[in-house]
Amino acid sequence: MKFDREALRDVVSISDDVGVLSFYLTANPREDASARPAWRIRLGNELDRLRERVAADPDRQRRMAVLKRLDGLQLDTQIMRNPDESGMGRVMFAPVSSDEEWAFAFQLPVPDQVVLERTAYVRPLVNAVEAAPPAGIVVVSRDGLRMIDCRYGRVEEIDRAHIDIDPERWREMRGPAPSELAQQGSAHRDRFERRVEDNILRLLRAQAPRVTEQAEGREWTAVVVIGDIQLVEPLAGELNGDVIQVDAVVDPLTSAKIAEYVEPQLRAARSRRGTGLANRAKDAALALGGGRGCLGLRDTLNALNERRVAQLLLDESREWGGSRTADGLLHPPGEVPPTAQDPVEEPRMGERMIERTLDIDAEVIVLDAKASEVIADFDGVAAILRW
């Protein structure tokens, strides 16, 4: 199944009163390639631990339903155990009370876990894909350009434009007299080469709207323009947003190898974006009179309850507690209103915040360690607000 933001929203909506099984596995091909590689053993251990927890459930009907569903998934989970399946990170969700399944594979690691909860457990998935948000790579050369889409560990060449130069149309058909040719030949060649180069640059700059259309349509958070720097600069100068220039001739490489080459630049771009959003939320929250930003768990939960959040910012390494009530509202630890109905302790408030954010059609931004420093003194959580 192809993963995108719409698929994430679908997964977040999965719920089952009996339970939803969430499977996470990193099947690293560099591990032992024997009949039982290490990652397969880890999955088996996770399944054994889950069965032990389920066996201790006093609700016999629920216990039998979960164990039956696990047994029925044995064949289906071969997708996760199969070393030929594409992608090191394997994720699958299976409600206990139905035969539905959602399975994804990424070129990204995920923590080995098997979880049974009322809803799909999505935070490890969100953390993984947020490490590689949508970005574009534009490879430029004198022959044209290639556009590569990178997202969630997947790499795909999406467009290619050729530059067709006909130098013969520009050659001087009547040159100087033979006696003068030897003296002026070098100057003529220099002028001719400059003319060709100017036309290549003009045609590359003309591709800027094509790149912009892809960047906007695919929601690229950054664009890397890579190639000979003399070709990179003119095109990059025509683009908006976070545009990264890299001086390297990589055109002969595959798309995957090019993406691997610029991975440090994309990782830095993610950190810059997160830091910028965190500072924006912080500045708005601390502005005189208040602005469209909030800091800390209490204020962020209030904003989520009021559906005011546009972008939720979460420290990738933190977890939060609290409680939720029958009306679906979320509350920080020890702050349930006296009028609240049926409060339930919530040890995984990060999960609930992600669910609520996607439910109100807002965006979740997971901050890396550097970006998280901006809101470290505010519970590692903040938001940019709609109003």
Side-chain angles (χ1 to χ4, degrees):
M1 183 180 295
K2 183 178 179 181
F3 182 85
D4 54 22
R5 291 188 183 276
E6 190 60 35
L8 177 58
R9 294 181 192 279
D10 289 343
V11 168
V12 166
S13 69
I14 302 172
S15 65
D16 186 335
D17 289 338
V18 180
V20 178
L21 292 160
S22 301
F23 300 86
Y24 288 89
L25 169 70
T26 293
N28 193 331
R30 289 175 294 184
E31 290 183 352
D32 182 11
S34 66
R36 293 200 71 201
W39 51 264
R40 185 174 294 182
I41 295 172
R42 293 197 306 272
L43 176 60
N45 291 338
E46 286 291 324
L47 288 171
D48 289 343
R49 282 191 285 269
L50 176 64
R51 289 179 184 276
E52 289 176 4
R53 294 195 298 272
V54 172
D57 190 333
D59 186 333
R60 183 179 183 279
Q61 186 174 356
R62 181 172 185 266
R63 183 173 70 243
M64 297 304 293
V66 173
L67 293 175
K68 181 179 178 181
R69 183 70 162 123
L70 280 172
D71 291 340
L73 283 170
Q74 284 185 350
L75 293 177
D76 298 327
T77 53
Q78 294 304 312
I79 268 185
M80 302 182 70
R81 300 186 187 191
N82 184 356
D84 296 326
E85 178 70 14
S86 175
M88 69 167 66
R90 322 285 177 81
V91 182
M92 189 169 73
F93 305 97
V96 172
S97 302
S98 78
D99 295 330
E100 293 182 290
E101 296 162 16
W102 289 258
F104 307 96
F106 308 92
Q107 292 299 342
L108 298 166
V110 294
D112 297 320
Q113 288 179 284
V114 180
V115 176
L116 175 65
E117 292 189 342
R118 184 182 57 83
T119 59
Y121 180 48
V122 299
R123 191 169 182 202
L125 172 61
V126 173
N127 279 359
V129 299
E130 277 291 303
I137 305 172
V138 182
V139 184
V140 297
S141 70
R142 283 165 176 76
D143 295 324
L145 59 81
R146 297 162 57 189
M147 280 186 269
I148 300 169
D149 181 83
C150 302
R151 65 185 63 220
Y152 317 133
R154 296 288 191 181
V155 178
E156 178 187 6
E157 182 171 318
I158 56 169
D159 200 0
R160 188 182 285 254
H162 296 283
I163 292 180
D164 187 13
I165 298 292
D166 183 8
E168 294 302 324
R169 293 192 301 113
W170 302 331
R171 291 187 186 277
E172 294 289 344
M173 300 306 295
R174 291 180 298 175
S179 60
E180 301 172 347
L181 187 59
Q183 299 175 1
Q184 299 182 11
S186 177
H188 278 297
R189 282 194 300 273
D190 289 345
R191 286 197 298 272
F192 172 73
E193 290 173 0
R194 283 198 301 271
R195 198 172 179 187
V196 171
E197 194 74 6
D198 288 345
N199 275 273
I200 290 174
L201 296 180
R202 176 181 60 82
L203 293 172
L204 276 176
R205 282 193 293 268
Q207 294 297 323
R210 189 170 179 171
V211 176
T212 298
E213 181 181 3
Q214 291 285 6
E216 293 176 351
R218 295 174 178 272
E219 299 181 330
W220 287 344
T221 57
V223 178
V224 176
V225 185
I226 184 169
D228 185 325
I229 196 64
Q230 293 181 340
L231 304 178
V232 165
E233 288 181 339
L235 176 59
E238 300 291 323
L239 305 176
N240 298 319
D242 191 355
V243 181
I244 305 155
Q245 300 182 36
V246 178
D247 182 12
V249 178
V250 296
D251 191 53
L253 300 180
T254 65
S255 296
K257 286 294 184 182
I258 294 171
E260 183 179 337
Y261 186 89
V262 302
E263 196 273 336
Q265 285 84 1
L266 292 178
R267 188 169 58 247
R270 177 214 172 188
S271 189
R272 278 197 307 275
R273 178 175 182 246
T275 300
L277 289 171
N279 279 314
R280 179 181 164 192
K282 184 177 179 179
D283 291 345
L286 299 179
L288 188 63
R292 294 186 180 181
C294 66
L295 295 166
L297 184 61
R298 178 190 295 106
D299 289 350
T300 301
L301 291 181
N302 288 338
L304 282 170
N305 290 337
E306 295 168 359
R307 306 176 68 89
R308 293 191 294 128
V309 170
Q311 291 173 305
L312 175 69
L313 311 179
L314 298 176
D315 182 337
E316 65 182 357
S317 64
R318 287 212 198 185
E319 185 53 276
W320 304 267
S323 60
R324 55 184 169 85
T325 51
D327 53 9
L329 299 182
L330 305 176
H331 304 279
E335 297 190 21
V336 179
T339 57
Q341 297 180 352
D342 303 323
V344 176
E345 185 177 354
E346 183 50 71
R348 285 179 170 160
M349 186 58 76
E351 188 80 2
R352 305 288 84 81
M353 287 192 285
I354 290 171
E355 291 174 356
R356 175 59 60 85
T357 300
L358 296 176
D359 181 58
I360 63 175
D361 200 27
E363 184 180 9
V364 178
I365 307 293
V366 178
L367 305 179
D368 67 4
K370 184 176 181 181
S372 296
E373 292 175 0
V374 178
I375 56 172
D377 294 333
F378 303 95
D379 306 319
V381 57
I384 293 171
L385 305 178
R386 290 168 170 156
W387 71 87

